Amino acid sequence: MEQAVQGVIQAVGQTLLASWLARQEAQYPPDTVACDCGGQAHYERRREAVTLTLQGRVRYRRSYYRCECGQGQCPLDTRLGIAPGQMSQRLVQAATLLGVTDAFGSSAALLAELTGVSLSPNSLRAACHDSRQQVEAHERGLIERSQTLSEQLTQRRNGPHPKRLYGSIDGFHGPFDDGWHEVKTGVWWTADEQQRTDWRRYYVDTTPAELFADLVWARGFEVGAHQADELIFIADGAVWIWNIVQRHFPNAVQIVDFYHAASYLAPVAGAAFGDGTAEAQHWLQLQRHLLLEGRLSPVVQACKALADRAPDAVADLRRYFAGNRVRLRYGKFRALGYQIGSGTMESGCKQLGAERLKIAGARWSREGGRLLAKARAAILSHELNFAPAWLPQVA
C-alpha cells in the first residue's frame, strides 16, 4: 500500500511540476530576446524538454529562440537554472549527500529505494562533482583573500573574533591508483561548558605540508583563528604539524593529545613487566595519572628506572617527551579548562577516511579522491547549504 501511495505521490508531483513550469512562461512570448553576441534572438517555437527531479522525469515545453549568430536559447531554462536532460538542483543535492556517504553503486541503489528515482553510479558521481567543484572554488578564493592585506584589515575590524577556538591537524592514508598517499586533514572547533564539541569545520587536501599550510591559514582566517581570545592547538607530535602552527599561529597554546602521549607508556610497561600482567597495569595506571596531573618529571624518572628492562621503549619515550615538554603540561591545561584530547580530529579522519575513501574495493584517482574528500568534509561541517539538519551546525 505504501509503495502504491508513493507511486501516486510521485506521479502527482511530476504533474504539479510540469504544470508549474508551464505557468512560468508568458502566454504570448516576446518576438525577440537579447543574445550574448549583442544581437537579437528570434522566437521559433515551443520546444519540449525533460528534467530529472526527485519526483522523476518531468516533461515541459518552453519558448525557444535562435540568433543569426547560430546560438539558441530558452530564457525559461536560464531564469530557473534548469539544464535540460540533467538533474535538478534538489536531486543533485540528494545524490551528493548519498554519494559522499557510500560507494556510488550502493548510493544509487539507496536513492532508487528511497525515492523511486533511478540513477546510474556514473550519474551519481557526476552529481557529486558540482559540490566538489564548489568547495574547491571556495578554498581557492579563500586562500587568495586570506593573503591580501586589505582583506586582513577588514576582518580585523569586522570579525569574527572567537573567544576560545580549538584547532588540530592530522592525516590518514587513502588508496589511490598509484598507491597509498596521505590525505592531510584539519579541523577548527569550539566546545560548550561541559567540554563537548558543539561546532566543527573540517578541511582536507593531498598537497605537501608546505602547500597545505596555506590552506590551514586560509581556513583559520575564515573562522577568525588569528583573532581568537584563546587559540588552542591539539595534535600529535608530528614535526610538520607544529611547524605549520608555529608559522601561522605562533601565539596558540600547543597541546599534544593526551592519549597519544600516554601511548608511549604502554610499551615501557609491557617490556618491563610483561604485557597484560597485573604489575604492568598497576604501573601504567599510576604513570598515566601522574601524566594527567602534569607531573612529568616523576613519570620520566619512573621510566628511566626501567631502562635496563625496556631500553628501546624508554629511549623512545624520553625522546618524545623531551621534544614536546611544553606541550605536556596537562595539569595547567586542565586547570584552564582546555580540552587535552583531539577526539574531534580523530573522528574526522575516521569519517573522511575509513568510512568513505577506504571502503572495501575503493581505488581513487588522485584528483577524484581529493575532491570527494573535500565534498564530504564540507557536508560533515554543514558548510554546503544543503547539508542535513542532523549534522553539526556551523556558525
Side-chain angles (χ1 to χ4, degrees):
M1 186 63 179
E2 286 182 292
Q3 285 182 316
V5 170
Q6 185 178 16
V8 170
I9 291 174
Q10 189 173 64
V12 171
Q14 293 173 15
T15 301
L16 286 174
L17 286 174
S19 176
W20 181 84
L21 287 170
R23 291 172 178 271
Q24 304 310 302
E25 281 256 283
Q27 184 176 2
Y28 302 103
D31 293 332
T32 62
V33 296
C35 180
D36 291 339
C37 72
Q40 292 291 310
H42 297 270
Y43 174 83
E44 288 193 351
R45 65 188 186 280
R46 293 186 184 271
R47 294 180 66 173
E48 184 178 77
V50 176
T51 182
L52 304 178
T53 75
L54 278 178
Q55 307 305 320
R57 294 175 178 271
V58 174
R59 298 181 180 277
Y60 66 105
R61 301 178 66 84
R62 74 275 197 247
S63 301
Y64 176 75
Y65 293 79
R66 177 174 290 276
C67 180
E68 292 181 355
C69 71
Q71 294 188 69
Q73 60 171 296
C74 297
L76 179 66
D77 292 346
T78 302
R79 179 161 61 86
L80 298 181
I82 298 175
Q86 304 300 314
M87 288 175 275
S88 69
Q89 186 59 34
R90 190 72 184 108
L91 181 56
V92 168
Q93 293 170 358
T96 299
L97 286 172
L98 293 173
V100 301
T101 303
D102 202 352
F104 294 126
S106 301
S107 298
L110 181 58
L111 180 68
E113 180 68 22
L114 294 176
T115 68
V117 177
S118 296
L119 294 178
S120 69
N122 283 337
S123 294
L124 199 135
R125 180 186 288 108
C128 293
H129 183 73
D130 287 345
S131 299
R132 293 180 290 184
Q133 295 295 94
Q134 180 181 335
V135 177
E136 180 86 324
H138 172 69
E139 289 185 342
R140 282 198 303 266
L142 192 59
I143 290 174
E144 181 178 351
R145 293 197 307 274
S146 68
Q147 297 179 4
T148 303
L149 180 58
S150 61
E151 291 285 344
Q152 294 177 11
L153 293 175
T154 297
Q155 194 198 62
R156 186 172 296 278
R157 290 191 301 267
N158 302 328
H161 304 281
K163 291 184 177 180
R164 178 180 289 181
L165 182 68
Y166 291 92
S168 188
I169 305 171
D170 204 345
F172 62 89
H173 284 80
F176 293 90
D177 288 341
D178 57 347
W180 289 77
H181 295 281
E182 185 177 38
V183 180
K184 295 178 176 62
T185 308
V187 62
W188 298 104
W189 80 92
T190 59
D192 61 20
E193 295 180 354
Q194 285 74 43
Q195 293 300 313
R196 296 173 301 192
T197 299
D198 60 0
W199 171 92
R200 71 205 75 185
R201 176 162 288 171
Y202 293 107
Y203 54 93
V204 299
D205 215 316
T206 56
T207 55
E210 57 271 19
L211 296 179
F212 187 69
D214 291 337
L215 182 59
V216 175
W217 163 252
R219 285 297 193 171
F221 176 84
E222 181 181 32
V223 299
H226 57 301
Q227 299 188 97
D229 294 343
E230 292 181 297
L231 179 61
I232 302 103
F233 249 93
I234 308 175
D236 62 28
V239 174
W240 70 271
I241 293 176
W242 296 117
N243 285 343
I244 292 176
V245 175
Q246 189 61 37
R247 171 184 170 186
H248 288 306
F249 307 101
N251 296 323
V253 176
Q254 299 181 12
I255 303 176
V256 164
D257 171 65
F258 172 78
Y259 304 98
H260 188 87
S263 69
Y264 280 80
L265 294 167
V268 177
F273 304 109
D275 288 329
T277 64
E279 190 176 7
Q281 293 300 315
H282 175 74
W283 183 90
L284 183 58
Q285 185 177 5
L286 175 60
Q287 305 314 315
R288 283 173 59 93
H289 175 74
L290 292 173
L291 182 62
L292 187 62
E293 294 295 322
R295 299 170 62 186
L296 194 60
S297 294
V299 175
V300 174
Q301 291 301 319
C303 292
K304 288 172 63 177
L306 301 175
D308 291 342
R309 287 188 276 177
D312 293 339
V314 171
D316 289 343
L317 179 142
R318 293 183 64 186
R319 188 181 308 111
Y320 185 84
F321 278 24
N324 292 285
R325 177 172 292 273
V326 298
R327 303 183 183 113
L328 303 175
R329 297 172 294 173
Y330 298 117
K332 177 181 179 180
F333 299 146
R334 292 171 62 223
L336 292 170
Y338 296 160
Q339 291 186 356
I340 59 172
S342 58
T344 302
M345 182 75 268
E346 298 300 325
S347 173
C349 288
K350 178 181 178 181
Q351 293 182 79
L352 293 167
E355 294 184 5
R356 187 59 181 101
L357 290 188
K358 295 195 285 187
I359 59 176
R363 283 294 181 273
W364 305 93
S365 67
R366 291 290 293 274
E367 187 67 1
R370 183 179 76 90
L371 292 178
L372 181 66
K374 284 183 177 293
R376 184 166 172 82
I379 287 177
L380 289 174
S381 304
H382 218 292
E383 194 171 358
L384 295 176
N385 59 12
F386 56 85
W390 48 263
L391 286 173
Q393 293 294 320
V394 173

